[in-house]
Amino acid sequence: MSTVKKAASASLLIGLACTVMAAFGPALAVAKPQRATLTHTEYKLLTKTLAGVKKALFGKDLDLTLGYSSCKADGSSTALMRSERAECGDEVAMYEQFQQVDVTVSTCGVRYASTTTTTTPTTTGTTTTGTTTTGTTTTGTTTTGTTTTGTTTTGTTSIDGFSSSGLATIACMNPAYQRVTRDIEAMSAATALNHQRAAARGFTGTCLSNLAGPAKLITDERQFAAAAKQIAKDYAVLSELSGGRSPSHVPTNSQLTSDGLAFQLTSSTYTQDATPTGKLTGCLHD
């Protein structure tokens, strides 16, 4: 073989080798995470995120800016990190919407109530507000907040057992309750997916609870979402009634009160089980 042919053959072989390395190099460079073990990057980022979220959502004051920035820090290096980031973001979005509900309840109460009284019972968690309406009286219920604001309204016109001012207040608050319900449902779905991915990686026990929340949290959030969906349905129907329409089924005072209590209880249970430790105790890591 001539020197030229040898050189050409060598160049071709080198070119083929480079092509193969280019094709398979990136895949080989990304090492598959060890089972039941967080990578160094995962551990470092998740530890920072958990501490930030605990302070942002479950601290003395609600800090949405810190909450969102903490979630974004998770990045998207692995499927687990992507689901962690999604769940975290949905949770912060839900708390943001609860904050908007708080503002809406106060605004609507002032706008439509002929007589207004503000109450502020103390509970645990961050600042949010829920409302249950019964007959001619609208009262605040405790959701996941340290401060709950309710309004008492007295109406002179009754429609199917509800005062006209009470119905107008509900119609005013209805859009906010529809939005927060969608956020609760989104968070519930994200939590279930994140727990599934963490379990698939082999994490169990204390580590799994700190990483993706206890298994009971999935049940809590499903019940919370169902209760929110029912309240949103009640408010949508009563908003139709307020607008002069005749919905086929109007919730009774007792049903509305019962639905409000279910929303209160499920939100409180969720808050208790969702509060993170801020640490990844029990998790092996590189």
Side-chain angles (χ1 to χ4, degrees):
M1 183 181 291
S2 69
T3 303
V4 174
K5 288 184 178 181
K6 288 181 180 180
S9 298
S11 297
L12 178 60
L13 290 173
I14 292 172
L16 288 173
C18 290
T19 301
V20 171
M21 289 302 294
F24 294 96
L28 294 173
V30 179
K32 184 178 180 181
Q34 296 184 52
R35 184 169 176 78
T37 302
L38 293 170
T39 66
H40 175 75
T41 299
E42 286 177 331
Y43 183 79
K44 181 180 179 180
L45 294 179
L46 286 172
T47 298
K48 183 177 180 180
T49 294
L50 285 174
V53 169
K54 182 179 181 180
K55 181 178 179 181
L57 302 185
F58 300 91
K60 183 178 180 181
D61 299 306
L62 184 64
D63 189 338
L64 294 171
T65 300
L66 175 60
Y68 280 120
S69 63
S70 296
C71 295
K72 289 179 181 178
D74 276 345
S76 56
S77 60
T78 63
L80 177 62
M81 293 301 283
R82 290 192 290 275
S83 63
E84 286 281 349
R85 179 175 179 172
E87 179 191 2
C88 183
D90 285 343
E91 185 175 28
V92 176
M94 184 201 71
Y95 274 89
E96 181 177 19
Q97 196 53 239
F98 262 125
Q99 189 178 62
Q100 293 304 310
V101 169
D102 188 21
V103 174
T104 301
V105 168
S106 298
T107 302
C108 295
V110 171
R111 181 181 302 171
Y112 293 104
S114 55
T115 304
T116 303
T117 303
T118 302
T119 58
T120 53
T122 301
T123 58
T124 58
T126 53
T127 304
T128 55
T129 301
T131 302
T132 304
T133 304
T134 306
T136 59
T137 303
T138 303
T139 58
T141 64
T142 303
T143 59
T144 56
T146 53
T147 303
T148 302
T149 303
T151 58
T152 301
T153 60
T154 304
T156 56
T157 304
S158 177
I159 304 174
D160 282 4
F162 297 94
S163 70
S164 57
S165 60
L167 288 175
T169 303
I170 288 176
C172 178
M173 296 187 299
N174 180 52
Y177 273 87
Q178 301 302 325
R179 288 191 293 269
V180 78
T181 295
R182 289 193 291 270
D183 282 350
I184 294 171
E185 291 178 320
M187 180 191 66
S188 177
T191 296
L193 176 60
N194 188 46
H195 198 278
Q196 179 183 7
R197 285 185 176 175
R201 279 274 297 270
F203 297 107
T204 59
T206 302
C207 175
L208 181 60
S209 293
N210 289 326
L211 187 63
K216 184 176 180 294
L217 185 61
I218 297 176
T219 300
D220 292 344
E221 290 185 356
R222 284 176 179 167
Q223 293 176 343
F224 188 20
K229 188 174 183 178
Q230 184 58 54
I231 280 289
K233 181 179 178 181
D234 292 343
Y235 272 40
V237 170
L238 292 175
S239 294
E240 290 183 24
L241 189 63
S242 175
R245 294 183 290 278
S246 301
S248 58
H249 173 72
V250 178
T252 62
N253 288 326
S254 59
Q255 179 186 339
L256 197 58
T257 299
S258 176
D259 292 342
L261 285 173
F263 184 66
Q264 172 188 347
L265 292 173
T266 55
S267 64
S268 297
T269 301
Y270 153 75
T271 304
Q272 181 178 349
D273 289 339
T275 304
T277 62
K279 299 179 181 180
L280 288 173
T281 304
C283 292
L284 296 176
H285 60 91
D286 293 336

